[in-house]
């Protein structure tokens, strides 16, 4: 039977539906977002399989000619949002998008839905396969800098963990463009500025966009010569996991040549995963590719090694002990940033709050690796915080207060697909 919260979650997804795709929340984020849509499809699939596939198909429609699937698909103009397409000015796809991507969760969701939806699922997955292959190739070719063998990122926004203290290192090492045109932020009109990134950070974000625009969004050039270049354990682990899921799809659907290529990507990533290991701190951390400087703090992306199925027994042990250390200080789940590290703020976006989609992936990985108790705790924490505060964008891990956007689509979707007690508690995390 549907609970009141199940009904509310369904209403949110219906309200944020813009005709085949779903926006994260009205006003603050009025377009289709890349990794949001992947999680949203999981929630919609609890009600309507067709519509869930459509969400993913419409995301792929935004693919740029070089294979990148942008972080945002701009099907319309909306002055409520900055920076919109007038600022990005990309010209390389049928539909306008940003000039950067977002963590590639798509193939993992497609594999999961294909498995659940029988022949129809396989048919839909087959149709999406070439686009996913092209996108993964783009990551491996255009986001791997010359002389390096790991996938990197050129903009904090590309990581989906926008203002995490991890990025301070790369931002400190770059200059704000002295000729930045004046601009007006919209995010702080729709949300509490105390919970949003600082102005100094924002100027740097926009400086990178300006750089990309000025080189016509040549993605290889942006990776090699852009102002910001960091390696993100989030993107790296999510891509490795998605490569594994893409490989199983390739095998099942008979894409033999592609399967060989993907297997090579996986092999390479399994070897280079160790480059994320910060020995001094004892965790998988982000680092600045040009200076080699490591971030020193445990983020929720550090915990995704289980999801990617990498790490030695010792590395996994150390990762678990960081998670226990953090859980002993927070009331709800895994915080996005380490409460013992500088710059932790329990309500500022990626400097502390708990994010549902990260909890979901972390728990999925933990469960697969036999850490059932911790996996169940992460699911319960999300259930409890939603019961306490509702469907917010993210939550204060200390008090459980909802932060930033409300009536948020991925929170509603993951409630329906994962955290709701109406689901059989035996369903895999
Ligand atoms: C924020 C988040 C990002 C998300 C987007 C839309 O920018 O940091 O991860 O995709 O909002 O929800």
């Amino acid at each position: 039977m549907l609970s009141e919260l199940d009904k509310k979650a369904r209403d949110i997804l219906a309200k944020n539906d813009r005709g085949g795709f779903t926006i994260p929340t009205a006003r603050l984020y009025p377009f289709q977002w890349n990794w949001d849509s992947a999680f949203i499809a999981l929630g919609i699939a609890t009600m309507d399989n067709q519509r869930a596939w459509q969400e993913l198909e419409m995301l792929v429609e935004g693919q740029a000619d070089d294979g990148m699937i942008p972080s945002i698909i701009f099907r319309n103009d909306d002055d409520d949002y900055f920076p919109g397409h007038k600022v990005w000015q990309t010209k390389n796809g049928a539909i306008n998008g940003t000039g950067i991507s977002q963590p590639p969760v798509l193939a993992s969701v497609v594999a999961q839905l294909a498995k659940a939806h029988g022949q129809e699922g396989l048919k839909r997955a087959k149709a999406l396969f070439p686009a996913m292959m092209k996108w993964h190739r783009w990551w491996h070719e255009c986001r791997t800098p010359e002389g390096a063998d790991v996938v990197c990122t050129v903009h904090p926004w590309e990581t989906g963990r926008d203002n995490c203290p991890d990025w301070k290192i790369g931002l400190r090492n770059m200059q704000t463009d002295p000729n930045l045109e004046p601009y007006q932020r919209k995010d702080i009109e729709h949300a509490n500025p105390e919970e949003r990134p600082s102005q100094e950070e924002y100027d740097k974000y926009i400086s990178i966009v300006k750089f990309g625009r000025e080189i016509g969004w040549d993605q290889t050039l942006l990776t090699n010569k852009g102002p910001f270049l960091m390696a993100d354990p989030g993107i790296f682990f999510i891509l490795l996991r998605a490569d594994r899921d893409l490989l199983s799809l390739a095998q099942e659907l008979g894409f033999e040549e592609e399967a060989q290529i993907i297997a090579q990507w996986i092999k390479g990533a399994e070897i280079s995963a160790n480059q994320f290991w910060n020995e001094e701190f004892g965790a998988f951390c982000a680092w600045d590719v040009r200076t080699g400087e490591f971030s020193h703090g445990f983020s929720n992306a550090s915990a995704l090694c289980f999801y990617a199925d990498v790490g030695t027994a010792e590395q996994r042990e150390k990762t678990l002990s960081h998670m226990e250390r953090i859980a002993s200080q927070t009331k709800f789940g895994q915080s996005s940033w380490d409460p013992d590290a500088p710059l932790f703020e329990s309500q500022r976006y990626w400097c502390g709050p708990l994010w549902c989609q990260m909890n979901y992936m972390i728990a999925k990985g933990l469960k697969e690796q036999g850490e059932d108790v911790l996996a169940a705790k992460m699911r319960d924490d999300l259930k409890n915080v939603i019961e306490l505060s509702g469907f917010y964008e993210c939550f204060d891990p200390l008090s459980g207060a909802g932060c930033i956007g409300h009536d948020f689509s991925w929170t509603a979707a993951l409630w329906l697909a994962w955290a709701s007690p109406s689901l059989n508690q035996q369903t895999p995390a």
Side-chain angles (χ1 to χ4, degrees), residues 24 29 33 35-36 102 160 162 349-350 355 393 408 410:
Y29 306 126
W33 255 259
W35 69 333
D36 293 63
Q102 255 193 336
D162 305 18
Y349 216 34
W350 288 91
W355 291 77
E393 177 170 2
F408 217 80
W410 64 18

Side-chain angles (χ1 to χ4, degrees), residues 189-365:
E189 290 175 16
H190 305 311
N192 179 353
E194 292 299 310
E195 297 178 359
R196 298 288 305 177
S198 70
Q199 188 56 43
E200 193 198 340
E201 271 170 0
Y202 225 85
D203 283 346
K204 293 202 170 169
Y205 300 154
I206 300 302
S207 298
I208 307 173
V209 174
K210 181 168 184 280
F211 182 93
R213 195 173 63 216
E214 285 169 0
I215 58 163
W217 296 106
D218 173 334
Q219 295 290 344
T220 307
L221 195 60
L222 181 57
T223 303
N224 288 308
K225 300 273 184 272
F228 181 97
L229 187 65
M230 287 192 74
D232 169 25
I235 287 178
F236 182 83
F237 289 145
I238 289 169
L239 179 62
L240 174 51
R241 170 56 186 255
D243 275 339
R244 295 191 195 284
D245 291 324
L246 194 64
L247 177 61
S248 55
L249 278 173
Q251 286 162 341
E252 171 126 30
L253 298 168
F255 290 101
E256 282 164 27
E257 253 172 60
E258 288 85 348
Q260 283 177 19
I261 297 170
I262 302 166
Q264 287 303 316
W265 291 337
I266 294 172
K267 210 164 138 198
E270 282 175 342
I271 296 167
S272 48
N274 208 39
Q275 294 183 39
F276 286 86
W277 187 254
N278 177 346
E279 182 60 33
E280 198 187 323
F281 183 70
F284 291 105
C285 295
W287 89 92
D288 187 295
V289 179
R290 294 190 180 120
T291 63
E293 185 182 345
F294 261 120
S295 175
H296 284 271
F298 193 89
S299 73
N300 47 5
S302 306
L304 287 175
C305 58
F306 300 97
Y307 181 72
D309 191 10
V310 291
T312 61
E314 195 194 335
Q315 288 171 333
R316 289 177 185 210
E317 264 319 300
K318 288 192 172 164
T319 301
L320 288 172
S321 64
H322 280 294
M323 293 176 77
E324 275 157 28
R325 171 177 61 78
I326 290 171
S328 71
Q329 296 178 55
T330 59
K331 199 160 168 218
F332 300 94
Q334 180 65 47
S335 52
S336 43
W337 183 240
D338 194 326
D340 289 323
L343 305 173
F344 174 83
E345 280 182 76
S346 66
Q347 301 207 350
R348 196 185 279 274
Y349 216 34
W350 288 91
C351 299
L354 143 73
W355 291 77
C356 65
Q357 84 288 10
M358 299 299 285
N359 257 37
Y360 169 77
M361 289 185 290
I362 295 167
K364 196 173 170 67

Side-chain angles (χ1 to χ4, degrees), residues 395-413:
F395 302 88
D396 182 329
L398 308 180
S399 68
C403 303
I404 320 184
H406 60 93
D407 288 356
F408 217 80
S409 294
W410 64 18
T411 316

